[in-house]
Amino acid sequence: MKLVCPAGNYPMLKAAVDNGADAVYIGFRDDTNARHFAGLNFNDNSAAKAIRYAHDRDRKVYVTINTYPQQSGWDRWQRAVDISVDLGIDALIVADIGLMAYIAETYPDIAIHLSVQGSATNREALQFYQEHFNVHRAVIPRVLSMPQVEQLAIDSPVELEVFGFGNMCVMVEGRCLLSSYATGESPNNFGACSPGSAVRWQETDDELEVRVNNVLVDRFPKGDHAGYPVICKGRYRVAGDTYHAIEEPTSLNTLELLPELCQAGVTAVKIEGRQRSTAYVSKVTRVWRQAIDHCLSNPQDFQAKAEWMQALASISEGRQTTLGAYSRPWQ
Amino acid sequence: MQLSLGPILYYWPRQSIETFYEQLADMPVSVVYLGETVCAKRRSLSAAEWIELARQLAANTDKQIVLSTLALIEAGSELSGVKKLCNNGELLIEANEMGAVHLLSGKKLPFVGGAGLNIYNAHTLTRLAALGLQRWVAPIEISHNALSAILSDAPALGLSEDVETEVFSFGRLPLAYSARCFTARYHNLPKDDCQYKCIDYPQGLPMDSQEGENFLTINGVQTQSGAITHLLPYWQEMEQLGVSLMRISPQPEGTTEIIQHYHQSIKGETKTVSTIEPYLSSPICDGYWCGEAGMIAVREVTA
């Protein structure tokens, strides 16, 4: 079981490598990746430095080019691929079929990982990407239950990577337009969800309101923890009831499923959070490294230690974690 | 410009579905999409019964009848249902995710690419056309300018002129899919024991902001827009781009009248054109097409 960790800048990459990541994934400073945030990500020089640091320590670097190229900007996506290959990356994480075709034809030796944004949730979809573009690994959306993951691992023609920890998409990744419905910009077309420019915090006498492009997404009593207003974690009114109609602010944490995931033959577990801090990456990587080593050496006796779970809860959105779709009752 | 009728996105009882399709003769659409695309638990009609209904309609009308597949396939049983549709032997299929594309292209069958295939550029479109795509529905969030760029660059990449483009033009927009059922969540029920509550909401369950704005609509595992997209005012610019079909998504009331209104407006039958306002159960939006936030209404409703 390989541990794949996020890095939004060079210090985060070092933190991931130093704390035991097997691979680190990064993106460039534009809309070619799904964490297109101001001040985040790599340029050609910092990417080269990052790759050197990781390769010197025998770790891998993946580059995410996982938004859907707009026709008018096609060259930007193609250039991101060319630069990555020049820099000597170990795999490209891609969602778009056109871009995959370009990679498969231009650089047949480069490993393609199907991004979670590619929304492949079943055997036939995985076969499609394998047959046509020689995809090597697929990151599967956070919608499958544990038995479904197990079945898919048996049937899959490619390696599987699953999400282990971090912010949780409730919707199938790559198939969610809630952000662009409210703001015009989505993960697919822009690489952002509830982009910061559309978010407005407003204090009233006793409340904090948060709006996304003027839509009231939530209001909090003063002093309450207020999470980032992605549309799916807001509080809305349905037939007179006001509640988190889609999902509460919570993070995914599948640490306790590690033995099952290993047993199922899942190749890698992915940590979300390129937009988080160096401290976050250090902490989450350290915990997962220990847990994976523990699980691999003694799978029968594996138990998620309380100190691990506490460490992960302390850096979770909304200070709570869930098994998400892996657990059937969540669905 | 021609019109199409999308699949019914809600859970309607069998009787309502049958009654709805009995009115097809009064609907001037050239293409009809049929089938359950949202949730495999909805069983008003089984896969075999959808195929049978589609065959009957194909035999009794001059419309092209297309079977539409499930948008999110997780379980093996769901995949089997999609296989049944793909193996029907005669009718065209709309593939709504890549698994169905693989089943169809593996059999060298032509297919329609649904809006969920994420075709955002001419390279992807051309690649899928080489695998059998003969018509595509543009992604819901696509703008006029983005579609224009795709359609003007595609021929140079080898896209055949025969590939048709369709735009989701009327109805609540399908925005997202999840493993979680939000209708069941509203009723505090687990999805595995949802008690088929969706059947109580023939046009979904409104999900408003705390200020009462009709923001989104719950439809089981699907989340839709609160506003109704209405792109009739743009039909001429669509036609200029090369769009050949405007899709109208079924509503429980007034679908025939809405289609008539679109048809009459496009044919220039201005004297007889009916009004559409009585059939708008929510405010309208057209932001995506105009390059804005999807929920925005750039133009007022016009006759």
Side-chain angles (χ1 to χ4, degrees), chain A:
Chain A
M1 176 67 75
K2 301 292 181 196
L3 178 59
V4 182
C5 294
N9 55 38
Y10 183 66
M12 285 165 83
L13 176 127
K14 280 179 72 178
V17 169
D18 295 346
N19 284 285
D22 295 300
V24 186
Y25 63 103
I26 65 173
F28 291 117
R29 278 187 185 167
D30 59 17
D31 55 357
T32 60
N33 77 94
R35 291 289 181 279
H36 174 209
F37 299 159
L40 198 72
N41 293 325
F42 290 76
N43 60 23
D44 306 10
N45 289 335
S46 55
K49 203 165 106 181
I51 291 164
R52 210 174 313 125
Y53 189 86
H55 282 179
D56 283 349
R57 285 151 188 84
D58 212 16
R59 315 301 171 79
K60 297 192 185 310
V61 176
Y62 306 152
V63 174
T64 50
I65 309 177
N66 64 343
T67 47
Y68 286 90
Q70 302 291 303
Q71 185 59 30
S72 57
W74 174 260
D75 292 348
R76 201 156 57 247
W77 276 264
Q78 202 167 296
R79 185 177 166 274
V81 168
D82 296 338
I83 291 173
S84 302
V85 173
D86 273 356
L87 289 171
I89 50 88
D90 300 289
L92 289 168
I93 306 175
V94 184
D96 181 64
I97 286 174
L99 202 60
M100 255 179 253
Y102 171 72
I103 299 165
E105 278 151 26
T106 319
Y107 308 108
D109 297 333
I110 291 292
I112 301 176
H113 292 188
L114 177 67
S115 168
V116 72
Q117 298 297 122
S119 324
T121 55
N122 59 73
R123 179 184 67 221
E124 295 292 335
L126 294 174
Q127 274 167 358
F128 174 84
Y129 290 106
Q130 198 276 331
E131 268 180 36
H132 294 287
F133 311 110
N134 198 23
V135 161
H136 181 72
R137 183 187 294 180
V139 187
I140 54 176
R142 281 159 274 197
V143 294
L144 300 180
S145 66
M146 192 60 221
Q148 287 168 344
V149 172
E150 286 164 352
Q151 188 58 48
L152 194 59
I154 292 168
D155 298 340
S156 174
V158 301
E159 294 180 358
L160 295 187
E161 180 171 314
V162 301
F163 272 92
F165 184 81
N167 280 358
M168 196 181 64
C169 282
V170 183
M171 307 300 181
V172 189
E173 295 90 338
R175 307 286 299 273
C176 179
L177 309 179
L178 295 184
S179 178
S180 65
Y181 182 64
T183 73
E185 292 171 345
S186 74
N188 284 6
N189 71 13
F190 184 74
C193 181
S194 281
S197 56
V199 172
R200 194 153 49 92
W201 297 92
Q202 210 167 22
E203 250 180 271
T204 63
D205 285 345
D206 45 5
E207 281 182 333
L208 181 61
E209 289 183 348
V210 60
R211 291 173 188 274
V212 175
N213 199 12
N214 270 334
V215 176
L216 181 64
V217 168
D218 209 345
R219 46 163 66 120
F220 309 89
K222 267 209 177 126
D224 272 21
H225 175 76
Y228 192 79
V230 286
I231 301 297
C232 62
K233 310 272 171 64
R235 255 180 292 209
Y236 304 100
R237 201 182 289 160
V238 180
D241 293 343
T242 300
Y243 65 110
H244 291 105
I246 299 175
E247 176 57 312
E248 293 165 26
T250 181
S251 290
L252 179 75
N253 180 13
T254 66
L255 198 75
E256 59 192 89
L257 296 178
L258 252 180
E260 282 114 303
L261 293 169
C262 289
Q263 176 71 31
V266 168
T267 301
V269 63
K270 178 169 213 143
I271 308 298
E272 186 276 346
R274 284 188 284 140
Q275 74 287 4
R276 302 289 294 267
S277 64
T278 307
Y280 166 92
V281 171
S282 302
K283 202 175 213 176
V284 72
T285 305
R286 194 159 56 236
V287 168
W288 276 82
R289 177 78 271 153
Q290 285 174 17
I292 290 172
D293 290 346
H294 218 265
C295 183
L296 292 179
S297 65
N298 198 354
Q300 305 305 325
D301 277 343
F302 180 84
Q303 261 199 325
K305 289 186 183 169
E307 64 197 72
W308 296 340
M309 297 303 267
Q310 276 158 15
L312 293 177
S314 72
I315 48 174
S316 299
E317 188 190 355
R319 313 275 151 76
Q320 53 175 337
T321 64
T322 172
L323 286 171
Y326 291 100
S327 157
R328 199 76 199 174
W330 178 91
Q331 301 191 6

Side-chain angles (χ1 to χ4, degrees), chain B residues 53-64:
Chain B
L53 175 62
R55 280 190 183 134
Q56 285 171 15
L57 293 174
N60 298 322
T61 69
D62 55 357
K63 305 175 195 310
Q64 182 189 49

Side-chain angles (χ1 to χ4, degrees), chain B residues 136-150:
Chain B
W136 67 299
V137 186
I140 298 294
E141 64 177 2
I142 211 131
S143 67
H144 168 272
N145 290 352
L147 185 57
S148 171
I150 295 171

Side-chain angles (χ1 to χ4, degrees), chain B residues 88-107:
Chain B
N88 79 81
E90 49 184 310
L91 298 157
L92 187 63
I93 302 287
E94 178 186 44
N96 285 315
E97 53 74 66
M98 225 43 87
V101 169
H102 189 58
L103 289 167
L104 294 159
S105 61
K107 292 178 184 300

Side-chain angles (χ1 to χ4, degrees), chain B residues 126-199:
Chain B
T126 308
R127 182 60 57 155
L128 286 170
L131 294 174
L133 175 144
Q134 64 175 65
R135 180 188 301 146
W136 67 299
V137 186
I140 298 294
E141 64 177 2
I142 211 131
S143 67
H144 168 272
N145 290 352
L147 185 57
S148 171
I150 295 171
L151 292 177
S152 50
D153 289 356
L157 295 172
L159 186 73
S160 155
E161 276 180 12
D162 300 336
V163 172
E164 295 178 313
T165 303
E166 178 168 345
V167 173
F168 189 105
S169 299
F170 185 93
R172 289 188 177 77
L173 298 163
L175 296 176
Y177 297 88
S178 177
R180 173 175 272 182
C181 175
F182 307 108
T183 306
R185 179 173 169 83
Y186 169 71
H187 285 281
N188 287 316
L189 292 167
K191 187 168 82 173
D192 287 340
D193 178 30
C194 69
Q195 298 175 22
Y196 306 98
K197 289 289 184 187
C198 283
I199 209 155

